[in-house]
Amino acid sequence: MINFLLVGICILMFVISFFVPQLYYYFALWPNLVIYMPWQIVTSIFMHANITHLLINMFVLFLFGTYLERIIGSKKYLLIFLLSGILGNLSYIVYAYITGNFIPSVGASGAIFGILGTLAVIAPNLRVVVFPLPIPVSIRIAVVLFALIDLILLPYSMKTGIAHITHLTGLITGIIFGLYLHKKYKNINDFI
């Protein structure tokens, strides 16, 4: 399954960058340098800032990515993952130029939010536990909560160190994919 490969690449890139920290210069997304190193729009998806960032993203990617891939197949899944991540990164570049904040960005969050957005449309009754809520909620409610948090924190991206615009763009991309796929997978809730 392609999701295991994606998780493996992220882990491998983190391990390599631990020993060769210069990789961040070449593979992280530097909004003011991306014109000279356009591959960063893709490579930054597979880089992570620290072990906590990596573990949280890989946990969520493993759970929800594996589930979505089983439903829609590897090709569509990979397309959602990459396009959500790439569009999230492109929006981060635009946001950086609008705000004048050129902090580099790394992580699979835009792609992961795309996966969550797709699941919220094609499997809306999927129950998830969102920390710190003690009860399971539908993935739709979880996605709305995540979007609200990112919208509220968007003006404080520089202070939080989180690319909230990337999350939101990935989520919107995933929702659009979900709407496109919805008719084909409309009975998926029968199996949840």
Side-chain angles (χ1 to χ4, degrees):
M1 291 177 70
I2 201 77
N3 194 52
F4 296 138
L5 179 62
L6 296 172
V7 169
I9 292 170
C10 289
I11 293 169
L12 181 63
M13 291 300 291
F14 183 78
V15 171
I16 292 171
S17 65
F18 183 78
F19 294 104
V20 186
Q22 299 88 336
L23 284 185
Y24 279 100
Y25 176 75
Y26 294 103
F27 291 161
L29 179 61
W30 297 80
N32 56 336
L33 298 177
V34 73
I35 190 115
Y36 306 108
M37 297 183 275
W39 60 83
Q40 293 177 345
I41 293 169
V42 175
T43 57
S44 61
I45 297 168
F46 300 96
M47 302 290 290
H48 288 82
N50 55 50
I51 191 70
T52 304
H53 186 213
L54 176 74
L55 291 176
I56 291 170
N57 271 1
M58 293 309 97
F59 178 72
V60 175
L61 179 60
F62 178 77
L63 289 179
F64 294 102
T66 302
Y67 185 72
L68 181 60
E69 184 180 2
R70 275 192 277 136
I71 295 170
I72 66 172
S74 296
K75 287 181 183 177
K76 289 178 189 147
Y77 173 75
L78 183 60
L79 181 63
I80 291 168
F81 178 89
L82 289 175
L83 205 52
S84 296
I86 289 168
L87 290 176
N89 282 343
L90 290 173
S91 70
Y92 181 76
I93 293 167
V94 171
Y95 187 77
Y97 276 93
I98 289 171
T99 62
N101 179 13
F102 297 102
I103 295 172
S105 173
V106 292
S109 299
I112 292 168
F113 270 78
I115 291 164
L116 295 173
T118 302
L119 281 171
V121 175
I122 68 170
N125 296 327
L126 179 64
R127 308 295 281 175
V128 298
V129 176
V130 179
F131 182 80
L133 300 177
I135 56 169
V137 297
S138 79
I139 193 164
R140 276 193 175 170
I141 291 172
V143 163
V144 168
L145 288 172
F146 295 149
L148 286 173
I149 290 167
D150 277 318
L151 278 170
I152 291 167
L153 294 177
L154 183 61
Y156 307 102
S157 293
M158 191 167 138
K159 290 181 182 175
T160 64
I162 297 171
H164 299 287
I165 191 71
T166 304
H167 296 179
L168 292 166
T169 305
L171 181 61
I172 291 167
T173 304
I175 289 170
I176 291 168
F177 267 106
L179 292 170
Y180 173 75
L181 297 171
H182 184 350
K183 288 187 180 183
K184 183 173 183 179
Y185 300 99
K186 66 183 174 184
N187 295 324
I188 193 65
N189 286 314
D190 297 341
F191 304 102
I192 297 174

